[in-house]
Amino acid sequence: MAAQRVFPLSCVVQQYAWGKMGSNSEVARLLASSDPLARISEDKPYAELWMGTHPRGDAKILDNRIPQKTLGEWIAENQNCLGSKVKDTFNGKLPFLFKVLSVETALSIQAHPNKELAEKLHLQAPQHYPDANHKPELAIALTTFQGLCGFRPVEEILTFLTKVPEFQFLIGDNATTQLKQSLSHDSQAMASALQSCFSHLLRSEKKVVVEQLNLLVKRISQQVAAGNNVEDICGELLLQLHQQYPGDIGCFAIYFLNLLTLKPGEAMFLEANVPHAYLKGDCVECMACSDNTVRAGLTPKFIDVPTLCEMLSYTPSPSKDRLFPPKWSQEDPYLTLYDPPVPDFTVMKMEVPGSVTEYKVLAVDSASILLMVHGTVTASTPTAQAVIPLQSGGVLFIGANECVLLKLTVPEDLLIFRACCLL
Protein backbone atom coordinates (compact mmCIF):
# COMPACT_ATOMS: atom_id res chain seq x y z
CA MET A 1 0.00 0.00 0.00
CA ALA A 2 2.83 2.41 0.80
CA ALA A 3 4.10 2.13 -2.77
CA GLN A 4 0.75 3.44 -3.99
CA ARG A 5 0.87 6.76 -2.15
CA VAL A 6 2.53 8.45 -5.15
CA PHE A 7 1.03 7.97 -8.60
CA PRO A 8 0.27 9.83 -11.85
CA LEU A 9 -3.16 11.24 -12.63
CA SER A 10 -5.21 11.73 -15.76
CA CYS A 11 -7.02 15.02 -15.29
CA VAL A 12 -10.27 16.43 -16.65
CA VAL A 13 -10.41 18.98 -19.48
CA GLN A 14 -13.34 21.41 -19.55
CA GLN A 15 -14.16 22.92 -22.96
CA TYR A 16 -16.10 26.01 -21.92
CA ALA A 17 -16.90 28.57 -24.62
CA TRP A 18 -14.72 31.30 -23.04
CA GLY A 19 -11.54 29.20 -23.37
CA LYS A 20 -8.72 29.60 -25.87
CA MET A 21 -9.12 27.71 -29.12
CA GLY A 22 -7.05 24.64 -29.94
CA SER A 23 -3.29 24.79 -29.59
CA ASN A 24 -3.44 28.49 -28.57
CA SER A 25 -4.50 27.22 -25.16
CA GLU A 26 -1.98 26.38 -22.43
CA VAL A 27 -4.44 23.68 -21.35
CA ALA A 28 -4.22 22.09 -24.80
CA ARG A 29 -0.42 22.39 -24.82
CA LEU A 30 -0.11 20.59 -21.50
CA LEU A 31 -2.59 17.96 -22.61
CA ALA A 32 -0.73 17.28 -25.86
CA SER A 33 2.68 17.26 -24.13
CA SER A 34 1.62 14.72 -21.52
CA ASP A 35 -0.25 12.43 -23.92
CA PRO A 36 1.24 11.95 -27.43
CA LEU A 37 -2.04 10.29 -28.49
CA ALA A 38 -4.16 13.30 -27.52
CA ARG A 39 -5.77 14.99 -30.51
CA ILE A 40 -6.22 18.74 -30.16
CA SER A 41 -9.13 20.16 -32.16
CA GLU A 42 -8.30 23.63 -33.41
CA ASP A 43 -12.02 24.51 -33.58
CA LYS A 44 -12.72 23.71 -29.91
CA PRO A 45 -11.99 25.77 -26.79
CA TYR A 46 -9.70 24.30 -24.13
CA ALA A 47 -10.64 26.32 -21.07
CA GLU A 48 -9.73 24.42 -17.90
CA LEU A 49 -7.67 21.47 -16.71
CA TRP A 50 -9.00 20.12 -13.39
CA MET A 51 -6.72 18.30 -10.95
CA GLY A 52 -8.58 17.03 -7.91
CA THR A 53 -11.67 15.24 -6.66
CA HIS A 54 -14.46 17.59 -7.70
CA PRO A 55 -17.72 15.68 -8.38
CA ARG A 56 -17.85 17.16 -11.90
CA GLY A 57 -14.22 16.35 -12.65
CA ASP A 58 -12.69 13.62 -10.50
CA ALA A 59 -9.16 12.80 -11.74
CA LYS A 60 -8.42 9.21 -12.79
CA ILE A 61 -5.47 7.30 -11.40
CA LEU A 62 -2.91 6.13 -13.97
CA ASP A 63 -1.43 3.21 -12.04
CA ASN A 64 -1.90 -0.44 -12.97
CA ARG A 65 -1.87 -1.37 -9.30
CA ILE A 66 -4.96 0.78 -8.68
CA PRO A 67 -7.27 -0.30 -11.53
CA GLN A 68 -10.17 1.86 -12.65
CA LYS A 69 -10.32 4.15 -9.64
CA THR A 70 -10.76 7.88 -9.47
CA LEU A 71 -8.72 9.92 -7.04
CA GLY A 72 -11.82 10.65 -4.98
CA GLU A 73 -12.65 6.96 -4.66
CA TRP A 74 -9.09 6.11 -3.66
CA ILE A 75 -8.89 8.88 -1.04
CA ALA A 76 -12.21 7.75 0.46
CA GLU A 77 -10.58 4.35 1.10
CA ASN A 78 -7.18 5.76 2.12
CA GLN A 79 -7.94 8.87 4.15
CA ASN A 80 -4.63 8.72 6.03
CA CYS A 81 -2.93 9.79 2.81
CA LEU A 82 -4.39 13.26 3.39
CA GLY A 83 -2.35 13.88 6.54
CA SER A 84 -3.85 13.75 10.03
CA LYS A 85 -4.70 17.46 10.32
CA VAL A 86 -6.16 17.67 6.82
CA LYS A 87 -8.22 14.51 7.30
CA ASP A 88 -9.73 15.75 10.57
CA THR A 89 -10.25 19.35 9.48
CA PHE A 90 -11.88 18.55 6.13
CA ASN A 91 -13.78 15.36 7.00
CA GLY A 92 -11.57 13.00 5.04
CA LYS A 93 -11.73 14.95 1.79
CA LEU A 94 -9.21 16.82 -0.35
CA PRO A 95 -10.09 20.47 0.40
CA PHE A 96 -8.89 22.08 -2.83
CA LEU A 97 -9.26 21.90 -6.59
CA PHE A 98 -6.14 22.64 -8.65
CA LYS A 99 -6.57 24.02 -12.18
CA VAL A 100 -4.97 25.47 -15.28
CA LEU A 101 -7.12 28.11 -17.02
CA SER A 102 -6.79 29.44 -20.57
CA VAL A 103 -9.03 32.48 -20.98
CA GLU A 104 -9.86 34.08 -24.33
CA THR A 105 -13.23 35.67 -23.52
CA ALA A 106 -13.93 37.57 -20.28
CA LEU A 107 -15.15 35.34 -17.48
CA SER A 108 -17.97 37.12 -15.57
CA ILE A 109 -18.10 39.94 -13.04
CA GLN A 110 -18.41 37.88 -9.88
CA ALA A 111 -17.57 37.30 -6.24
CA HIS A 112 -17.62 34.32 -3.90
CA PRO A 113 -19.49 34.13 -0.58
CA ASN A 114 -17.90 33.41 2.78
CA LYS A 115 -18.94 30.21 4.56
CA GLU A 116 -21.79 31.84 6.45
CA LEU A 117 -23.36 33.31 3.33
CA ALA A 118 -22.63 30.14 1.32
CA GLU A 119 -24.67 28.09 3.81
CA LYS A 120 -27.53 30.59 3.60
CA LEU A 121 -27.53 30.75 -0.22
CA HIS A 122 -27.35 26.97 -0.49
CA LEU A 123 -30.45 26.59 1.67
CA GLN A 124 -32.34 29.28 -0.24
CA ALA A 125 -31.38 28.41 -3.82
CA PRO A 126 -29.47 25.10 -4.13
CA GLN A 127 -30.05 25.10 -7.89
CA HIS A 128 -27.79 28.17 -8.16
CA TYR A 129 -25.56 27.64 -5.10
CA PRO A 130 -24.97 23.88 -5.02
CA ASP A 131 -22.94 23.54 -1.80
CA ALA A 132 -22.40 25.23 1.56
CA ASN A 133 -18.66 25.91 1.19
CA HIS A 134 -16.75 29.12 0.54
CA LYS A 135 -14.63 29.47 -2.61
CA PRO A 136 -11.48 31.55 -2.15
CA GLU A 137 -9.25 31.44 -5.23
CA LEU A 138 -5.60 32.08 -6.05
CA ALA A 139 -4.56 32.77 -9.67
CA ILE A 140 -0.88 32.62 -10.67
CA ALA A 141 -0.04 33.81 -14.19
CA LEU A 142 1.59 31.37 -16.63
CA THR A 143 1.50 33.87 -19.48
CA THR A 144 0.59 37.57 -19.40
CA PHE A 145 -2.73 37.42 -17.59
CA GLN A 146 -5.32 40.18 -17.37
CA GLY A 147 -8.08 40.45 -14.79
CA LEU A 148 -10.22 42.78 -12.74
CA CYS A 149 -9.87 42.64 -8.96
CA GLY A 150 -11.28 44.77 -6.14
CA PHE A 151 -12.53 48.35 -6.22
CA ARG A 152 -10.30 51.09 -7.59
CA PRO A 153 -9.37 54.09 -5.43
CA VAL A 154 -12.34 56.46 -5.32
CA GLU A 155 -10.28 59.20 -7.00
CA GLU A 156 -9.87 56.98 -10.08
CA ILE A 157 -13.59 56.20 -10.20
CA LEU A 158 -14.44 59.91 -9.97
CA THR A 159 -12.04 60.61 -12.85
CA PHE A 160 -13.92 58.09 -15.02
CA LEU A 161 -17.25 59.66 -13.98
CA THR A 162 -15.91 62.96 -15.33
CA LYS A 163 -14.38 61.57 -18.54
CA VAL A 164 -17.11 59.05 -19.42
CA PRO A 165 -20.51 60.81 -19.41
CA GLU A 166 -22.29 57.59 -20.36
CA PHE A 167 -20.95 56.01 -17.18
CA GLN A 168 -21.96 59.03 -15.10
CA PHE A 169 -25.47 58.95 -16.64
CA LEU A 170 -26.04 55.42 -15.28
CA ILE A 171 -24.68 56.24 -11.82
CA GLY A 172 -26.75 59.42 -11.50
CA ASP A 173 -26.02 62.82 -10.01
CA ASN A 174 -26.97 62.02 -6.41
CA ALA A 175 -24.79 58.92 -6.11
CA THR A 176 -21.92 60.72 -7.86
CA THR A 177 -22.15 63.66 -5.44
CA GLN A 178 -22.25 61.28 -2.47
CA LEU A 179 -19.07 59.60 -3.72
CA LYS A 180 -17.26 62.94 -4.16
CA GLN A 181 -18.23 64.04 -0.65
CA SER A 182 -17.06 60.72 0.85
CA LEU A 183 -13.45 61.68 0.14
CA SER A 184 -13.55 64.01 3.13
CA HIS A 185 -15.21 61.47 5.42
CA ASP A 186 -14.21 58.16 7.02
CA SER A 187 -13.81 54.78 5.32
CA GLN A 188 -17.32 53.69 6.31
CA ALA A 189 -18.88 56.69 4.52
CA MET A 190 -16.70 55.97 1.50
CA ALA A 191 -17.77 52.31 1.42
CA SER A 192 -21.42 53.33 1.69
CA ALA A 193 -21.06 55.81 -1.18
CA LEU A 194 -19.24 53.25 -3.30
CA GLN A 195 -21.96 50.68 -2.66
CA SER A 196 -24.60 53.20 -3.68
CA CYS A 197 -22.80 53.96 -6.96
CA PHE A 198 -22.13 50.32 -7.84
CA SER A 199 -25.70 49.33 -7.00
CA HIS A 200 -27.06 52.15 -9.18
CA LEU A 201 -25.04 50.80 -12.08
CA LEU A 202 -26.03 47.16 -11.70
CA ARG A 203 -29.71 47.98 -11.17
CA SER A 204 -29.92 50.19 -14.26
CA GLU A 205 -32.68 49.41 -16.72
CA LYS A 206 -31.46 47.15 -19.52
CA LYS A 207 -32.72 49.45 -22.28
CA VAL A 208 -30.88 52.45 -20.79
CA VAL A 209 -27.68 50.43 -20.38
CA VAL A 210 -27.74 49.37 -24.03
CA GLU A 211 -28.36 52.96 -25.17
CA GLN A 212 -25.50 54.40 -23.13
CA LEU A 213 -23.13 51.59 -24.04
CA ASN A 214 -23.84 52.04 -27.73
CA LEU A 215 -23.14 55.77 -27.40
CA LEU A 216 -19.84 55.07 -25.62
CA VAL A 217 -18.78 52.41 -28.13
CA LYS A 218 -19.54 54.76 -31.03
CA ARG A 219 -17.58 57.59 -29.43
CA ILE A 220 -14.54 55.43 -28.61
CA SER A 221 -14.59 53.81 -32.07
CA GLN A 222 -14.52 57.24 -33.70
CA GLN A 223 -11.59 58.30 -31.53
CA VAL A 224 -9.68 55.13 -32.36
CA ALA A 225 -10.38 55.61 -36.08
CA ALA A 226 -9.02 59.15 -35.80
CA GLY A 227 -5.83 57.81 -34.26
CA ASN A 228 -6.52 59.24 -30.79
CA ASN A 229 -5.31 57.57 -27.61
CA VAL A 230 -8.23 56.19 -25.56
CA GLU A 231 -6.16 54.60 -22.80
CA ASP A 232 -7.34 57.14 -20.23
CA ILE A 233 -10.87 55.68 -20.45
CA CYS A 234 -9.82 52.04 -21.02
CA GLY A 235 -11.21 52.38 -24.53
CA GLU A 236 -9.63 49.31 -26.10
CA LEU A 237 -10.81 47.10 -23.23
CA LEU A 238 -14.32 48.55 -23.38
CA LEU A 239 -14.55 47.75 -27.10
CA GLN A 240 -13.19 44.26 -26.50
CA LEU A 241 -15.74 43.48 -23.78
CA HIS A 242 -18.62 44.96 -25.77
CA GLN A 243 -17.67 42.79 -28.74
CA GLN A 244 -17.73 39.73 -26.48
CA TYR A 245 -20.89 40.70 -24.56
CA PRO A 246 -22.87 43.32 -26.55
CA GLY A 247 -25.07 45.52 -24.38
CA ASP A 248 -23.87 43.91 -21.13
CA ILE A 249 -23.85 46.00 -17.94
CA GLY A 250 -20.57 44.31 -16.98
CA CYS A 251 -18.72 46.37 -19.61
CA PHE A 252 -19.02 49.42 -17.32
CA ALA A 253 -17.52 47.52 -14.37
CA ILE A 254 -14.03 48.32 -15.70
CA TYR A 255 -14.53 51.85 -14.37
CA PHE A 256 -15.08 50.52 -10.85
CA LEU A 257 -12.60 47.66 -10.61
CA ASN A 258 -8.80 47.56 -10.71
CA LEU A 259 -7.33 46.32 -13.97
CA LEU A 260 -4.40 43.99 -13.28
CA THR A 261 -1.96 42.69 -15.87
CA LEU A 262 0.06 39.92 -14.25
CA LYS A 263 3.44 38.83 -15.56
CA PRO A 264 4.26 35.09 -15.36
CA GLY A 265 4.68 34.15 -11.70
CA GLU A 266 2.64 37.11 -10.39
CA ALA A 267 -0.56 36.28 -8.55
CA MET A 268 -3.81 37.67 -7.22
CA PHE A 269 -5.80 36.24 -4.33
CA LEU A 270 -9.58 36.43 -4.49
CA GLU A 271 -10.92 36.17 -0.97
CA ALA A 272 -14.63 36.17 -0.11
CA ASN A 273 -16.71 39.17 -1.23
CA VAL A 274 -14.06 40.66 -3.55
CA PRO A 275 -15.44 41.51 -7.01
CA HIS A 276 -13.34 40.19 -9.86
CA ALA A 277 -13.24 38.87 -13.41
CA TYR A 278 -10.69 37.03 -15.52
CA LEU A 279 -10.23 38.74 -18.89
CA LYS A 280 -7.48 37.02 -20.87
CA GLY A 281 -4.44 34.78 -20.53
CA ASP A 282 -3.29 31.55 -18.93
CA CYS A 283 -2.95 30.85 -15.22
CA VAL A 284 -2.62 28.20 -12.58
CA GLU A 285 -5.53 28.44 -10.16
CA CYS A 286 -6.18 26.84 -6.80
CA MET A 287 -9.50 27.13 -5.00
CA ALA A 288 -11.49 25.65 -2.17
CA CYS A 289 -13.62 22.83 -3.52
CA SER A 290 -16.93 24.62 -4.18
CA ASP A 291 -19.20 25.83 -6.98
CA ASN A 292 -20.54 28.97 -5.28
CA THR A 293 -20.26 32.02 -7.51
CA VAL A 294 -22.44 35.16 -7.37
CA ARG A 295 -22.47 36.86 -10.79
CA ALA A 296 -23.57 40.24 -12.12
CA GLY A 297 -22.43 40.56 -15.74
CA LEU A 298 -20.25 39.39 -18.66
CA THR A 299 -21.84 35.95 -18.44
CA PRO A 300 -24.74 33.94 -19.89
CA LYS A 301 -25.15 32.25 -16.48
CA PHE A 302 -27.51 33.07 -13.60
CA ILE A 303 -27.13 36.66 -12.36
CA ASP A 304 -27.92 37.64 -8.77
CA VAL A 305 -27.49 41.42 -8.51
CA PRO A 306 -29.18 41.92 -5.09
CA THR A 307 -26.97 39.32 -3.40
CA LEU A 308 -23.80 40.64 -5.05
CA CYS A 309 -24.48 44.28 -4.16
CA GLU A 310 -25.19 43.34 -0.54
CA MET A 311 -22.23 40.99 -0.02
CA LEU A 312 -19.32 42.87 -1.60
CA SER A 313 -16.40 44.35 0.25
CA TYR A 314 -16.46 48.04 -0.72
CA THR A 315 -12.88 48.74 0.27
CA PRO A 316 -11.05 50.67 -2.46
CA SER A 317 -7.33 50.08 -2.96
CA PRO A 318 -4.66 50.69 -5.64
CA SER A 319 -4.14 47.92 -8.17
CA LYS A 320 -0.64 47.20 -6.84
CA ASP A 321 -2.18 46.25 -3.49
CA ARG A 322 -4.18 43.51 -5.20
CA LEU A 323 -1.02 41.60 -6.15
CA PHE A 324 -0.35 38.62 -3.89
CA PRO A 325 3.42 38.21 -3.46
CA PRO A 326 4.97 34.77 -2.82
CA LYS A 327 7.52 34.04 -0.12
CA TRP A 328 10.87 32.36 -0.65
CA SER A 329 11.34 29.02 1.11
CA GLN A 330 14.02 28.84 3.80
CA GLU A 331 14.63 25.15 3.03
CA ASP A 332 14.71 25.11 -0.77
CA PRO A 333 16.40 27.80 -2.92
CA TYR A 334 14.24 26.88 -5.93
CA LEU A 335 10.90 27.07 -4.10
CA THR A 336 8.46 29.95 -3.56
CA LEU A 337 5.19 29.70 -1.63
CA TYR A 338 1.87 31.36 -2.32
CA ASP A 339 0.22 30.94 1.07
CA PRO A 340 -3.10 32.82 1.28
CA PRO A 341 -4.89 33.45 4.59
CA VAL A 342 -7.30 30.52 4.24
CA PRO A 343 -6.79 26.96 5.53
CA ASP A 344 -7.87 25.19 2.35
CA PHE A 345 -4.75 25.41 0.18
CA THR A 346 -1.21 26.63 -0.45
CA VAL A 347 0.53 26.63 -3.83
CA MET A 348 4.27 26.07 -4.27
CA LYS A 349 6.19 27.07 -7.38
CA MET A 350 9.48 25.29 -8.13
CA GLU A 351 11.85 26.69 -10.75
CA VAL A 352 14.81 24.33 -11.08
CA PRO A 353 17.64 25.10 -13.53
CA GLY A 354 18.50 22.41 -16.07
CA SER A 355 22.00 22.19 -14.62
CA VAL A 356 20.56 20.54 -11.48
CA THR A 357 20.33 16.84 -12.34
CA GLU A 358 18.31 15.80 -9.28
CA TYR A 359 15.68 17.68 -7.31
CA LYS A 360 13.98 16.54 -4.12
CA VAL A 361 10.32 17.44 -3.63
CA LEU A 362 10.06 17.92 0.12
CA ALA A 363 7.61 15.91 2.20
CA VAL A 364 4.73 17.86 3.78
CA ASP A 365 1.99 16.74 6.16
CA SER A 366 -0.64 17.01 3.47
CA ALA A 367 -1.69 15.24 0.33
CA SER A 368 -0.60 17.28 -2.67
CA ILE A 369 -0.96 17.47 -6.43
CA LEU A 370 2.08 18.31 -8.54
CA LEU A 371 1.89 19.72 -12.07
CA MET A 372 4.88 19.69 -14.42
CA VAL A 373 4.51 22.79 -16.62
CA HIS A 374 7.94 22.53 -18.26
CA GLY A 375 10.55 19.78 -18.09
CA THR A 376 11.13 16.05 -18.41
CA VAL A 377 12.00 13.91 -15.38
CA THR A 378 11.57 10.55 -13.73
CA ALA A 379 9.97 10.52 -10.27
CA SER A 380 10.83 7.99 -7.58
CA THR A 381 10.10 7.50 -3.88
CA PRO A 382 11.80 5.37 -1.22
CA THR A 383 8.89 2.94 -1.27
CA ALA A 384 8.06 2.84 -4.98
CA GLN A 385 8.82 -0.28 -6.99
CA ALA A 386 9.36 1.63 -10.22
CA VAL A 387 10.10 5.14 -11.38
CA ILE A 388 7.35 7.30 -12.89
CA PRO A 389 8.18 9.20 -16.10
CA LEU A 390 6.87 12.74 -15.94
CA GLN A 391 6.97 15.43 -18.61
CA SER A 392 5.32 18.72 -19.43
CA GLY A 393 1.63 18.38 -18.60
CA GLY A 394 2.24 15.42 -16.29
CA VAL A 395 0.40 15.37 -12.96
CA LEU A 396 1.39 13.49 -9.82
CA PHE A 397 -0.55 12.77 -6.63
CA ILE A 398 1.71 12.71 -3.57
CA GLY A 399 0.43 11.31 -0.29
CA ALA A 400 1.13 13.10 2.99
CA ASN A 401 4.70 12.87 4.32
CA GLU A 402 6.03 11.36 1.09
CA CYS A 403 9.17 12.81 -0.50
CA VAL A 404 9.76 12.44 -4.22
CA LEU A 405 13.07 12.53 -6.07
CA LEU A 406 12.98 14.00 -9.57
CA LYS A 407 15.81 13.14 -11.95
CA LEU A 408 16.11 15.29 -15.04
CA THR A 409 16.15 13.20 -18.20
CA VAL A 410 16.48 16.25 -20.46
CA PRO A 411 18.83 19.10 -19.39
CA GLU A 412 16.26 21.90 -19.47
CA ASP A 413 14.78 24.12 -16.77
CA LEU A 414 11.87 22.77 -14.74
CA LEU A 415 8.73 24.75 -13.88
CA ILE A 416 6.55 22.91 -11.39
CA PHE A 417 3.51 23.89 -9.36
CA ARG A 418 2.28 21.95 -6.35
CA ALA A 419 -0.99 22.42 -4.44
CA CYS A 420 -1.28 21.23 -0.85
CA CYS A 421 -2.86 22.15 2.50
CA LEU A 422 -0.42 23.49 5.11
CA LEU A 423 -2.46 23.67 8.32
Side-chain angles (χ1 to χ4, degrees), residues 39-57:
R39 293 187 176 181
I40 304 302
S41 299
E42 294 300 335
D43 59 348
K44 289 184 179 180
Y46 291 79
E48 298 191 1
L49 178 70
W50 288 19
M51 299 165 278
T53 59
H54 194 283
R56 293 194 292 112

Side-chain angles (χ1 to χ4, degrees), residues 343-388:
D344 309 73
F345 60 84
T346 296
V347 177
M348 302 175 177
K349 181 181 71 170
M350 291 153 274
E351 293 181 288
V352 185
S355 57
V356 176
T357 57
E358 293 186 354
Y359 175 71
K360 188 176 183 180
V361 178
L362 299 175
V364 294
D365 189 23
S366 164
S368 60
I369 293 177
L370 181 147
L371 167 68
M372 181 72 67
V373 176
H374 294 292
T376 307
V377 302
T378 57
S380 60
T381 71
T383 53
Q385 298 173 351
V387 299
I388 301 168

